[in-house]
Amino acid sequence: MKYYRKLVSVGLALTAIGLSLAALAAEPVTPKLTDKLSRLLQQEMRSVQSAMATIHVSMVTGDHKQVEAQAQQIHDSFILKQSLTEQDKKDLMAAVPEGFVTLDKDFHRLAAGLADAAKNKDTQKQYKLYNKMTGSCIACHSQYVSDRFDGLTEQ
Ligand code: HEC
């Protein structure tokens, strides 16, 4: 009987660990953002999305100047670098985990690389970086925006 009770408590502990790991894997940041941050982020995302569409057609038609301009614009839109007040910065850091910040930084670094590849008229490199950027969209949305983009939860 004692043995059975031990087994049950081990089972419960394992379940608790499993649950907290699942929460770690996909914890949406959206409910934790202040209204202002949420508005800024959505605005940034819409401009990123439209820049990515323009980059796509410019890249496949060899319009390097346009690729460079749009990639530079994505790089500069970095929300963490925007003119956020000190309070906004604190709110942002309180709302998002480190992994989110890392992904955001990686994403904007890729955009800078894409601008460089465009300056060098290197289409193959642009293609590679463009795909990596698309991978960043999916990685961040599936991990941190799983509440809104529930079609990505299996990623
Ligand atoms: C580091 C994380 C991160 C990366 C990288 C990222 N996004 Fe997002 N995206 C978000 C978050 C968070 C939201 C939800 C914001 C909200 O609803 O408050 C969002 C929302 C969006 C939306 C909806 C905007 C709206 O009007 O509500 C679009 C479109 C979007 N992202 C496009 C993209 C594209 C395209 C890429 C890649 C080229 C990308 N995102 C990369 C975090 C990210």
Side-chain angles (χ1 to χ4, degrees):
M1 202 56 196
K2 254 188 189 160
Y3 176 70
Y4 176 72
R5 236 183 266 148
K6 244 185 207 155
L7 259 190
V8 169
S9 61
V10 167
L12 285 176
L14 285 179
T15 309
I17 290 169
L19 285 176
S20 57
L21 280 181
L24 264 185
E27 171 100 35
V29 298
T30 31
K32 297 183 190 143
L33 297 169
T34 60
D35 287 349
K36 183 181 175 190
L37 285 174
S38 178
R39 203 172 59 241
L40 279 176
L41 198 53
Q42 289 183 5
Q43 204 177 307
E44 175 179 337
M45 285 296 144
R46 285 193 293 267
S47 73
V48 163
Q49 195 274 321
S50 110
M52 287 295 281
T54 306
I55 290 170
H56 187 263
V57 69
S58 308
M59 177 176 68
V60 303
T61 56
D63 185 351
H64 302 291
K65 277 220 150 50
Q66 183 70 274
V67 172
E68 185 186 345
Q70 298 290 323
Q72 192 62 44
Q73 192 186 308
I74 292 180
H75 176 259
D76 296 345
S77 76
F78 203 171
I79 186 169
L80 301 181
K81 271 195 197 159
Q82 273 178 356
S83 51
L84 298 176
T85 65
E86 281 305 309
Q87 188 57 49
D88 293 335
K89 282 183 195 159
K90 276 189 202 147
D91 292 344
L92 183 64
M93 288 312 161
V96 302
E98 215 174 292
F100 183 92
V101 177
T102 307
L103 266 177
D104 198 34
K105 281 192 181 146
D106 287 349
F107 174 67
H108 286 86
R109 200 174 302 130
L110 288 170
L114 180 57
D116 263 353
K119 203 177 276 169
N120 296 330
K121 301 185 168 41
D122 185 342
T123 299
Q124 283 310 315
K125 191 148 189 209
Q126 289 167 37
Y127 174 53
K128 208 173 130 200
L129 289 168
Y130 187 87
N131 285 342
K132 280 195 175 173
M133 286 169 81
T134 304
S136 282
C137 318
I138 296 170
C140 190
H141 292 167
S142 62
Q143 278 184 74
Y144 301 112
V145 202
S146 53
D147 52 341
R148 281 191 62 190
F149 305 141
D150 61 355
L152 291 176
T153 46
E154 295 303 311
Q155 298 302 309

